[in-house]
Structures are given as structure tokens and as C-alpha cells.
């Protein structure tokens, strides 16, 4: 049996398929997130729409979802952090990175997804892209005409700054 694309370590038959097919609900926000990732891999557009919170379904663009699902080369899902979203909670947050290939380039979609539970069903409510932290230089900037920090005695532009 094949592993579930979500990276849970379980088979697809035991992990994503029962949630996507409606046999059972996700017990946690993380399970709902994993099922949504798997639905992208399997191009399960009906589930992607039905797993959105009822207040947010109007924003669902089936054509965009189909294009992304069908044309991406899905490479894996990394769950970074989960806040709340347990069986006894009504809200949860799942930070994740979905890795995929797109037109020959490796890409990552890093998002903080928010889920809400309504009558024992977890729904995707909204998400915020997580942007990388800007690089902050600790060491002083070396100018082109400054001595090279490698200790050669040459100007930076004639040594390591080439």
C-alpha cells in the first residue's frame, strides 16, 4: 500500500482517503491540514472546497485550484508548528511548508493556516503566507577599497571581492 502524500507515515487508505471521501471527519486541525495537502496531490477539488469554512467558500476558485493541483509536482509537506486545534478545541493554527516543483523549479509554500471547528468538523478558515526573516548583517560591511578581511593585506576588490 502507498504512503499518504501528507507525510504522516500512514497509508493513504488509513490517513487521507477516509477524510477526503467523507467516511470520517478529521479529529484535529493538523489532520484537516494534511487532508487538504493530500487533496491537492490527488486533485480532489470537491474536498478542497467542502473543507473550507462555510463563510469562506465563495472565495474558492476551482479553476486555480485545478491548475495548481494538476500541474505541480508535489514533493512533500512539513508541519512546522501546531497551536490548538486538538479534539477539544474549536480553533487551531497549523504552520506548514508545502514543497512542490513548478515549471522545472523547486518551490515552497510556507503558510500559517487557521482552522475552525463547527459541529465536530474542522474547516480551513484562512491563511497567512510566512515570509522569510530579512538577513541582518552582524559583521561590518567591507568596502571595495578596504583591506580584505582574510588578512592578505590586499584591497578587498583585488582579493576576495572579485
Amino acid at each position: 500500500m502507498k504512503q499518504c502524500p501528507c507525510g504522516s507515515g500512514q497509508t493513504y487508505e488509513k490517513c487521507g482517503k477516509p477524510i477526503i471521501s467523507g467516511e470520517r471527519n478529521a479529529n484535529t486541525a493538523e489532520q484537516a491540514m494534511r487532508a487538504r495537502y493530500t487533496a491537492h496531490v490527488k486533485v480532489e477539488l470537491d474536498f478542497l472546497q467542502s473543507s473550507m469554512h462555510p463563510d469562506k467558500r465563495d472565495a474558492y476558485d476551482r479553476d486555480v485550484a485545478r491548475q495548481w493541483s494538476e500541474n505541480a509536482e508535489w514533493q512533500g509537506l512539513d508541519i512546522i508548528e501546531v497551536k490548538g486545534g486538538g479534539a477539544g478545541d474549536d480553533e487551531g493554527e497549523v504552520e506548514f511548508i508545502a514543497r512542490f516543483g513548478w515549471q522545472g523549479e523547486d518551490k515552497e509554500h510556507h503558510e500559517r493556516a487557521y482552522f475552525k471547528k463547527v459541529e465536530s468538523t474542522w474547516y480551513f478558515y484562512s491563511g497567512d503566507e510566512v515570509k522569510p526573516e530579512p538577513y541582518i548583517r552582524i559583521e561590518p560591511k567591507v568596502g571595495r577599497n578596504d583591506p580584505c578581511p582574510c588578512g592578505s593585506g590586499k584591497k578587498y576588490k583585488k582579493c576576495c571581492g572579485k
Side-chain angles (χ1 to χ4, degrees), residues 9-157:
Q10 298 179 34
T11 64
Y12 173 65
E13 307 300 323
K14 289 186 178 178
C15 184
K17 186 178 180 182
I19 297 170
I20 292 169
S21 70
E23 289 176 42
R24 70 174 175 86
N25 287 333
N27 293 323
T28 65
E30 181 179 346
Q31 283 181 356
M33 179 63 243
R34 288 183 181 278
R36 285 183 55 80
Y37 173 83
T38 300
H40 277 96
V41 175
K42 301 283 188 180
V43 194
E44 295 284 354
L45 303 175
D46 290 339
F47 176 77
L48 288 170
Q49 184 171 13
S50 68
S51 64
M52 292 183 75
H53 192 278
D55 294 346
K56 301 290 186 169
R57 286 189 190 144
D58 289 345
Y60 181 72
D61 187 328
R62 191 176 188 89
D63 292 333
V64 170
R66 178 183 305 283
Q67 182 180 0
W68 195 32
S69 294
E70 289 178 346
N71 295 311
E73 297 168 22
W74 299 100
Q75 299 168 345
L77 175 69
D78 297 320
I79 302 296
I80 307 302
E81 183 178 20
V82 177
K83 294 180 182 175
D89 296 323
D90 290 330
E91 295 184 0
E93 178 183 313
V94 181
E95 182 179 344
F96 69 92
I97 297 174
R99 293 176 282 104
F100 60 98
W102 186 263
Q103 299 177 344
E105 282 187 49
D106 288 340
K107 303 271 187 181
E108 290 185 345
H109 176 74
H110 190 173
E111 181 177 307
R112 192 168 289 112
Y114 303 98
F115 291 83
K116 291 188 178 188
K117 186 166 63 172
V118 179
E119 296 179 11
S120 78
T121 301
W122 282 101
Y123 293 102
F124 171 72
Y125 190 78
S126 66
D128 294 324
E129 183 179 355
V130 177
K131 305 236 187 229
E133 293 290 323
Y135 175 76
I136 299 173
R137 183 188 326 269
I138 297 170
E139 65 281 346
K141 185 174 180 180
V142 179
R144 290 176 30 87
N145 290 315
D146 291 342
C148 191
C150 76
S152 68
K154 297 179 182 179
K155 290 184 177 182
Y156 179 68
K157 68 181 179 184

